Amino acid sequence: MELIKKSILLIILAIVSFSTAFAQKDISNIEKLKETVAWTKENKEAIYNVTENPFKKPDWGFYTKKNDVVYAHVYHWPEDGKLIIDREIKVRTSYLNYGDKKLKTKLVDGNLTVFLPKEAPSTIATVIKIQLTPTEDWANFKRYRKANTELKKPAKNEKRVVFIGNSITDNWTRDHGSFFEANPSYVNRGISGQTSAQMLLRFRTDVIKLQPKVVVISAGTNDIAGNRGAIGINEIAGNIFSMAELAKANNIKVVLASVLPASSYSWSPSVEPADKIIELNKLVKAYAKKNKVVYLDYYTPMVNADKGLIKNLGRDTVHPNAAGYDIMEPLVKKAIMTVLK
């Protein structure tokens, strides 16, 4: 409660500093103070649990942001009714009164302009709610965008290897980074939580464009966990096969890694993954044999009697620890050497 009181006081002080009404009158006026508190309650959506935004501060007030909504706090109402907002704001719809009245927004002489009523509804500040156009980076292309730009083309005799995968690949650099340090031609492009569909979508950007000789594909466990919704084993396998075929079409040799054993998922407790992992691994192994692709079997040396991950090889039921990576590293190096021969 004390924290809430302090937050309200800070907001009131901010309003006082911006409002021309307060600049012209005695701020000790109790009626004005009550009006400000009332304004704060009416506009709590634009005040509480908001974050900083990347937009330049305008001369008419300031912005706050919450998820896919930007709130324009207008203290200096434009006389012509044209509110110029940052052009970087990807507007879907603008509203007055938090959705009661839709406002016209268009580009005028290069300025992104919201058309307002002639008079300001509030004597303190009027909040314009701006619903943003969704910009979800579903496959998380931005994760490695900078790293990919900075990565030089492979040297003449370099045998670059790209690892694409989920958290098991992603955490490899963090939890056992000496492996990648000892093998500078190995490039980690794992992203925690990703499914095979997300990896397939970013395969061209995070694998093909890096011009590797080999790609190590590790995918499937997050699909089984249902991270992006329900999906069948055959569909998961199909996404993995599509990545392999994209690689082969671009003269990149392929290593298809098995899914590691897992008895349960802490983030998806209703799923029983053990038998589904076995089924997916069989499909991947059969595809590898038929298409003369190297199959990398992490599963067999890491599985316990209950079809789960051997306890001392994991930091939980899914992710390997340093001892687990010690098992995986010579296996993947052998697989890479095999395809390079």
Side-chain angles (χ1 to χ4, degrees), residues 106-176:
K106 62 182 291 188
L107 207 58
V108 179
D109 298 327
N111 295 316
L112 189 56
T113 306
V114 181
F115 289 81
L116 305 176
K118 289 185 178 181
E119 294 185 5
S122 172
T123 58
I124 297 177
T126 299
V127 176
I128 308 300
K129 181 177 180 178
I130 303 171
Q131 183 69 50
L132 301 177
T133 301
T135 56
E136 182 186 8
D137 182 6
W138 187 77
N140 203 353
F141 287 104
K142 68 180 179 181
R143 168 66 187 279
Y144 290 112
R145 185 173 291 138
K146 183 180 178 182
N148 289 344
T149 301
E150 294 174 349
L151 185 67
K152 296 179 180 179
K153 289 184 178 181
K156 186 176 180 180
N157 296 317
E158 181 182 348
K159 296 176 180 178
R160 178 172 291 171
V161 181
V162 173
F163 290 65
I164 188 167
N166 46 49
S167 57
I168 294 168
T169 301
D170 194 359
N171 295 345
W172 205 327
T173 302
R174 183 194 70 190
D175 296 342
H176 218 240

Side-chain angles (χ1 to χ4, degrees), residues 110-322:
N111 295 316
L112 189 56
T113 306
V114 181
F115 289 81
L116 305 176
K118 289 185 178 181
E119 294 185 5
S122 172
T123 58
I124 297 177
T126 299
V127 176
I128 308 300
K129 181 177 180 178
I130 303 171
Q131 183 69 50
L132 301 177
T133 301
T135 56
E136 182 186 8
D137 182 6
W138 187 77
N140 203 353
F141 287 104
K142 68 180 179 181
R143 168 66 187 279
Y144 290 112
R145 185 173 291 138
K146 183 180 178 182
N148 289 344
T149 301
E150 294 174 349
L151 185 67
K152 296 179 180 179
K153 289 184 178 181
K156 186 176 180 180
N157 296 317
E158 181 182 348
K159 296 176 180 178
R160 178 172 291 171
V161 181
V162 173
F163 290 65
I164 188 167
N166 46 49
S167 57
I168 294 168
T169 301
D170 194 359
N171 295 345
W172 205 327
T173 302
R174 183 194 70 190
D175 296 342
H176 218 240
S178 57
F179 177 65
F180 287 90
E181 291 170 7
N183 298 278
S185 62
Y186 291 0
V187 179
N188 191 331
R189 289 297 179 265
I191 297 182
S192 295
Q194 285 216 325
T195 61
S196 60
Q198 291 171 298
M199 294 178 213
L200 176 58
L201 192 59
R202 65 182 177 90
F203 196 83
R204 184 170 298 278
T205 299
D206 285 348
V207 179
I208 295 171
K209 288 186 176 181
L210 305 187
Q211 302 177 33
K213 294 290 186 183
V214 182
V215 61
V216 179
I217 302 171
S218 302
T221 201
N222 286 324
D223 299 76
I224 292 171
N227 280 23
R228 292 290 171 177
I231 182 172
I233 297 298
N234 287 325
E235 285 72 30
I236 302 169
N239 288 335
I240 294 170
F241 303 160
S242 291
M243 284 188 271
E245 287 157 17
L246 274 172
K248 291 179 74 175
N250 287 275
N251 299 313
I252 301 169
K253 297 183 182 297
V254 178
V255 174
L256 289 179
S258 70
V259 178
L260 270 65
S263 56
S264 63
Y265 299 124
S266 60
W267 67 95
S268 190
S270 64
V271 176
E272 296 179 312
D275 289 333
K276 293 178 180 179
I277 289 172
I278 292 172
E279 184 182 354
L280 178 58
N281 284 342
K282 284 181 179 179
L283 291 176
V284 174
K285 186 176 182 180
Y287 175 90
K289 183 178 180 181
K290 181 179 179 181
N291 293 276
K292 298 181 181 180
V293 171
V294 170
Y295 175 71
L296 170 55
D297 183 11
Y298 290 138
Y299 184 90
T300 301
M302 301 181 77
V303 68
N304 62 24
D306 298 317
K307 305 176 189 175
L309 184 63
I310 293 173
K311 189 173 182 180
N312 63 6
L313 297 181
R315 56 184 179 84
D316 52 29
T317 60
V318 178
H319 301 91
N321 55 19

